[in-house]
Amino acid sequence: MADKRPWYFRDGVVVVAVLSFLVLALPLVWLSPHYTTRRKVIVSVLVVIGTYLTWQGTVAAIKTLQTAMSGMM
């Protein structure tokens, strides 16, 4: 049976968008009529946690680079 949903609401596209863009992909999840409210909330919480962890990793990497660069000068 062919999937009648628009391409941007299909599961594969939504998963790739969430993994690539994190918070910026949440409108795809929330506007999709295919997902239940429970699934939307779970995905949103996971995306927020992923965004927080990505932010923390970025801050740690910048601090490490700053320390390394200051040691070179």
Side-chain angles (χ1 to χ4, degrees):
M1 183 162 87
D3 194 353
K4 299 294 183 188
R5 292 179 286 174
W7 66 269
Y8 48 86
F9 284 146
R10 292 188 184 149
D11 294 336
V13 172
V14 173
V15 168
V16 169
V18 167
L19 291 175
S20 300
F21 303 112
L22 292 174
V23 174
L24 297 176
L26 281 181
L28 283 179
V29 175
W30 280 95
L31 294 175
S32 175
H34 178 70
Y35 297 129
T36 63
T37 303
R38 181 175 184 225
R39 181 178 284 183
K40 292 175 183 180
V41 170
I42 291 170
V43 169
S44 297
V45 168
L46 291 174
V47 166
V48 168
I49 291 169
T51 302
Y52 174 77
L53 293 174
T54 301
W55 177 255
Q56 291 299 314
T58 302
V59 169
I62 290 171
K63 287 181 182 178
T64 302
L65 286 171
Q66 287 175 338
T67 303
M69 293 299 286
S70 66
M72 294 175 68
M73 294 183 177

